[in-house]
Amino acid sequence: MPRGREILLSYLVGMTFLSSPLLAFDGASSNADDSKKPLQIFKDPRSALRAGLAGARSGDEHWIDALKYAAAGGESLAQWKLGKMYASGDGVPHDDVKAYEYFSQIVASYDDESPNWRIMPLVANAYVALGIYYLNGITNTKIKPDPRHAMAMFQYAAINFGDSNAQYNLARLYLDGAGTSKDSRQAVRWLSLAADKNHYYAQALLGQILFTGKEGIQPQRARGLMWLTLAREAQLDTHKDSWIIDLYDKAMASASADERQEALAYLENFLKK
């Protein structure tokens, strides 16, 4: 059994999924206008995927149906795109259960013994998306908060794909003690890996921890200020990311002239990489 499927199925024992729109493409007859169905228009899932992606760009009214047909046929890119759409309500009604199901299909079909390098970023993204769903749960569904399963998802994507979002979320679990015991050293380790990939949330959180210190972590104020500076200089949403600006402003206000100069030296070395 593929490793991705083994991991996912171990979490889904006893869970009954809600009915899925994918059933509309199983070949059953319907009273609807068959002339408009992707099942009769496309010869295979790959051609449906191509048509769906092209239709999304051109505004073709059937492009979502084409993607659903491609997803039902096992096309990971279609599953990922539909998962993202339902998760954000972009072009379709917001539906976290449908998003969860599409991401689950990607994880369940992934085989780490014979990996398809072309879709690995999608697989990593799906693991992270499922990790967040497991962490928070989905209201009024069988998908309940389960930090241990969330951690397993983040850990898998962080280790096997080096995914910066997974590394950041894994660090947060270690900081909060969710799904595991609190461990500031492990948190800093994962934040450092994500920060090196220019994940600016990781840079901000790592910068704060190093600037102020934390249990088991001695303050490294200049290095912390360097990470906060990198996070502050990222393309921020000034409303959503105001906490980063606040952390930077407070650190700069309390830093000495020597600490600022040392932080600048660290920053110059980092940018040379």
Side-chain angles (χ1 to χ4, degrees), residues 28-123:
S29 62
S30 169
N31 292 328
D33 183 358
D34 290 342
S35 65
K36 295 182 179 180
K37 286 188 176 181
L39 187 61
Q40 295 188 3
I41 296 172
F42 304 112
K43 64 179 182 179
D44 55 40
R46 180 57 58 88
S47 63
L49 172 63
R50 288 194 294 266
L53 295 177
R57 294 189 292 268
S58 66
D60 184 284
E61 62 179 311
H62 297 299
W63 71 275
I64 293 178
D65 289 337
L67 284 182
K68 288 180 178 179
Y69 178 66
E75 289 292 337
S76 296
L77 180 55
Q79 293 164 347
W80 176 82
K81 187 165 181 63
L82 287 166
K84 298 289 284 187
M85 289 168 60
Y86 278 111
S88 63
D90 180 14
V92 294
H94 175 256
D95 191 326
D96 284 318
V97 171
K98 288 182 179 178
Y100 172 91
E101 290 175 348
Y102 279 119
F103 291 133
S104 296
Q105 290 170 27
I106 296 172
V107 169
S109 62
Y110 176 68
D111 184 358
D112 59 4
E113 294 182 359
S114 301
N116 180 346
W117 299 100
R118 182 175 60 88
I119 66 167
M120 285 182 68
L122 308 184
V123 178

Side-chain angles (χ1 to χ4, degrees), residues 211 221-222 225 251-265:
F211 190 82
R221 288 169 63 88
L225 185 57
M252 282 296 290
S254 67
S256 67
D258 287 343
E259 288 169 340
R260 294 181 186 180
Q261 190 64 33
E262 188 178 356
L264 179 60

Side-chain angles (χ1 to χ4, degrees), residues 6-205:
E6 179 183 345
I7 289 175
L8 183 64
L9 291 182
S10 69
Y11 302 152
L12 301 183
V13 173
M15 180 177 294
T16 302
F17 286 115
L18 300 178
S19 60
S20 168
L22 299 182
L23 297 179
F25 302 100
D26 62 3
S29 62
S30 169
N31 292 328
D33 183 358
D34 290 342
S35 65
K36 295 182 179 180
K37 286 188 176 181
L39 187 61
Q40 295 188 3
I41 296 172
F42 304 112
K43 64 179 182 179
D44 55 40
R46 180 57 58 88
S47 63
L49 172 63
R50 288 194 294 266
L53 295 177
R57 294 189 292 268
S58 66
D60 184 284
E61 62 179 311
H62 297 299
W63 71 275
I64 293 178
D65 289 337
L67 284 182
K68 288 180 178 179
Y69 178 66
E75 289 292 337
S76 296
L77 180 55
Q79 293 164 347
W80 176 82
K81 187 165 181 63
L82 287 166
K84 298 289 284 187
M85 289 168 60
Y86 278 111
S88 63
D90 180 14
V92 294
H94 175 256
D95 191 326
D96 284 318
V97 171
K98 288 182 179 178
Y100 172 91
E101 290 175 348
Y102 279 119
F103 291 133
S104 296
Q105 290 170 27
I106 296 172
V107 169
S109 62
Y110 176 68
D111 184 358
D112 59 4
E113 294 182 359
S114 301
N116 180 346
W117 299 100
R118 182 175 60 88
I119 66 167
M120 285 182 68
L122 308 184
V123 178
N125 186 274
Y127 269 97
V128 173
L130 288 176
I132 292 172
Y133 280 131
Y134 281 122
L135 182 62
N136 300 316
I138 301 177
T139 305
N140 298 323
T141 73
K142 294 180 180 294
I143 305 163
K144 305 302 181 184
D146 191 337
R148 286 180 181 271
H149 291 169
M151 183 172 188
M153 288 290 177
F154 295 144
Q155 197 166 41
Y156 188 87
I159 293 172
N160 291 280
F161 303 113
D163 184 87
S164 61
N165 286 316
Q167 292 166 343
Y168 170 75
N169 280 286
L170 186 57
R172 292 297 303 263
L173 294 185
Y174 277 115
L175 287 174
D176 298 338
T180 185
S181 57
K182 288 188 177 182
D183 191 329
S184 297
R185 290 182 179 275
Q186 283 286 355
V188 166
R189 173 187 172 229
W190 289 111
L191 287 174
S192 296
L193 290 171
D196 277 336
K197 299 182 179 76
N198 293 311
H199 191 291
Y200 66 85
Y201 279 11
Q203 291 173 338
L205 191 52

Side-chain angles (χ1 to χ4, degrees), residues 188 207 209-213 217-225 266:
V188 166
I209 292 172
L210 293 180
F211 190 82
T212 61
I217 305 296
Q218 292 297 317
Q220 302 176 49
R221 288 169 63 88
R223 193 177 295 276
L225 185 57
Y266 282 133

